[in-house]
């Protein structure tokens, strides 16, 4: 009798535990209009709290006790909703698989990932997923991710950013194989911190109120420059090894970085003149009459009247020089 009551309660809250068709370490979320069914594999049921009560505004909290021993949890999203979202909080690396899902959230982000670890966004091969958001200044993107964001898979993701950026990551973004189409962004098409690395795939941005892609330093971490295999890198750099970048309809720059821009291969439809970097250049020697606003190495304005090492900023150009 107790088991029967438990099953009924789970169904009423939109959570099904231990269904045989769900693989271990997997959570399935199926959207259907204003409702969503959340199915949790039996082996991880104690680690997932569903706070959405069957609503299409799915809110899941992953326990802090998830570890290497538990293993990475995969969330598979499918179905369609015109008034929903996917919210996930946690503190361990995770995978979110977009399996042909369509999510429109009129009041905020479509995907709101508050997990500060590595988040792999897997696009199911042969499937197209679509995300659209509504105005909410509490969030930075239609796809808003707190952690390292890695796009993988041979599927397609369409994103419309009606509030701020279309895709926002508080840390780095990596892209391999996936196709991302951004039809509109009020601000940047893609905005991330630490670095942006495009190993392969396709990015099409057709309209952005500011920059197509912007990469910032993460001010909360030490600046590193380029690191081996980008391990723990915080450079503000943009890298493209291969793939296709089509960026147009922007009001700022096609690409804007706090670091450098490096192309090893791939194709692009914009001119280098439509990019902007603010990386400090190689140190050179200069007379004391150097023009531009001078700063010391702590970022404080100075007259640079004494010999020493200074940073000079003139328009969009920032150069580190030794004044004699």
């Amino acid at each position: 009798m107790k088991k029967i009551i438990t099953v009924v309660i789970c169904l009423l809250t939109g959570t099904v535990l231990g269904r045989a068709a769900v693989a271990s370490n997997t959570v399935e979320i199926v959207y259907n209009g204003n409702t969503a069914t959340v199915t949790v594999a039996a082996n991880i049921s104690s680690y997932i709290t569903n706070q959405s009560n069957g609503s299409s505004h799915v809110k899941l909290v992953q326990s802090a006790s998830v570890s290497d021993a538990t293993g990475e949890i995969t969330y598979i999203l499918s179905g369609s909703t015109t008034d929903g979202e996917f919210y996930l909080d946690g503190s361990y690396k995770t995978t979110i698989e977009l399996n042909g899902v369509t999510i429109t959230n009129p009041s905020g982000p479509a995907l709101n990932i508050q997990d500060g670890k590595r988040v792999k966004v897997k696009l199911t091969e042969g499937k197209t997923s679509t995300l659209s958001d509504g105005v909410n200044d509490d969030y930075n993107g239609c796809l808003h991710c707190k952690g390292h964001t890695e796009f993988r898979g041979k599927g397609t993701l369409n994103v419309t950013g009606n509030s701020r950026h279309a895709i926002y990551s508080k840390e780095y973004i990596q892209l391999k194989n996936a196709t991302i189409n951004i039809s509109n962004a009020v601000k940047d098409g893609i905005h991330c911190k630490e670095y942006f690395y495009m190993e392969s795939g396709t990015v099409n941005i057709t309209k952005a109120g500011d920059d197509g892609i912007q990469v910032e330093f993460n001010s909360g971490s030490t600046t590193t420059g380029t690191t081996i295999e980008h391990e723990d890198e915080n450079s503000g750099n943009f890298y493209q090894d291969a793939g296709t970048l089509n960026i147009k309809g922007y009001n700022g720059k096609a690409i804007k970085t706090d670091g450098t821009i490096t192309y090893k291969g791939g194709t692009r439809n914009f001119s280098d003149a439509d990019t902007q970097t603010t990386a400090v250049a190689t140190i050179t020697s200069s007379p004391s009459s150097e023009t531009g606003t001078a700063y010391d190495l702590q970022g404080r304005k100075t007259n640079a009247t004494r010999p020493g090492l200074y940073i000079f900023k003139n328009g969009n150009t920032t150069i580190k020089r030794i004044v004699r």
Side-chain angles (χ1 to χ4, degrees):
M1 182 67 179
K2 183 177 179 181
K3 290 183 179 179
I4 295 173
I5 293 172
T6 301
V7 171
V8 171
I9 292 173
C10 290
L11 289 172
L12 289 174
T13 59
T15 305
V16 183
L17 303 179
R19 198 180 74 184
V22 179
S24 295
N25 282 52
T26 300
V27 180
E28 286 187 357
I29 300 95
V30 180
Y31 292 91
N32 183 11
N34 292 325
T35 64
T37 301
V38 179
T39 309
V40 182
N43 73 306
I44 55 170
S45 60
S46 62
Y47 298 104
I48 306 297
T49 301
N50 181 5
Q51 299 180 351
S52 45
N53 296 320
S55 166
S56 53
H57 286 262
V58 175
K59 184 174 183 179
L60 304 180
V61 178
Q62 183 173 286
S63 170
S65 60
V66 172
S67 64
D68 289 342
T70 309
E72 184 172 343
I73 295 174
T74 297
Y75 300 83
I76 303 175
L77 282 59
S78 63
S80 178
T81 177
T82 58
D83 186 2
E85 68 178 310
F86 178 72
Y87 173 99
L88 177 66
D89 198 355
S91 56
Y92 188 77
K93 60 186 178 181
T94 191
T95 293
I96 298 170
E97 182 174 348
L98 304 183
N99 184 25
V101 69
T102 296
I103 301 175
T104 296
N105 184 2
S107 56
L111 261 60
N112 183 4
I113 313 304
Q114 292 298 316
D115 188 329
K117 302 299 182 179
R118 190 273 288 142
V119 177
K120 183 184 296 182
V121 180
K122 180 181 177 182
L123 306 182
T124 306
E125 183 173 0
K127 297 291 186 69
T128 297
S129 294
T130 302
L131 306 176
S132 181
D133 68 350
V135 176
N136 189 328
D137 290 337
D138 290 337
Y139 305 97
N140 287 315
C142 176
L143 190 162
H144 177 110
C145 187
K146 183 180 178 181
H148 319 305
T149 311
E150 300 180 1
F151 291 94
R152 297 288 187 265
K154 296 183 178 180
T156 299
L157 175 62
N158 299 327
V159 186
T160 302
N162 296 309
S163 183
R164 304 188 75 179
H165 312 303
I167 295 175
Y168 170 83
S169 176
K170 194 175 180 180
E171 297 178 343
Y172 68 70
I173 286 180
Q174 292 186 0
L175 176 70
K176 182 177 181 180
N177 294 325
T179 296
I180 296 177
N181 301 316
I182 296 173
S183 58
N184 181 68
V186 171
K187 298 189 74 175
D188 302 330
I190 297 175
H191 189 111
C192 67
K193 299 185 179 182
E194 297 184 341
Y195 67 89
F196 180 100
Y197 175 42
M198 183 173 181
E199 187 175 347
S200 60
T202 301
V203 174
N204 298 309
I205 300 174
T206 55
K207 185 179 179 182
D210 198 352
D211 304 310
I213 299 174
Q214 183 175 2
V215 189
E216 291 185 309
F217 291 127
N218 187 339
S219 59
S221 303
T222 303
T223 302
T224 63
T226 302
T227 64
I228 298 175
E229 296 185 349
H230 309 292
E231 184 72 20
D232 297 322
E233 181 171 332
N234 180 28
S235 62
N237 291 347
F238 175 97
Y239 307 94
Q240 183 187 8
D241 285 356
T244 302
L245 270 177
N246 294 315
I247 306 176
K248 60 183 180 179
Y250 47 88
N251 290 319
K253 297 292 184 179
I255 299 174
K256 182 179 179 181
T257 72
D258 281 348
T260 61
I261 296 174
T262 302
Y263 306 125
K264 289 186 178 179
T267 61
R268 295 158 293 280
N269 70 331
F270 51 86
S271 167
D272 285 346
D274 263 352
T275 64
Q276 179 180 325
T277 63
T278 56
V280 176
T282 304
I283 297 174
T284 61
S285 181
S286 173
S288 58
S289 59
E290 177 66 48
T291 59
T293 304
Y295 301 84
D296 63 18
L297 297 184
Q298 284 71 49
R300 299 171 298 196
K301 281 188 179 182
T302 180
N303 292 326
T305 54
R306 297 181 179 180
L309 179 58
Y310 298 93
I311 296 171
F312 289 90
K313 184 172 177 60
N314 193 346
N316 291 328
T317 302
T318 305
I319 299 175
K320 192 179 289 185
R321 290 192 186 279
I322 298 172
V323 173
R324 298 183 264 107

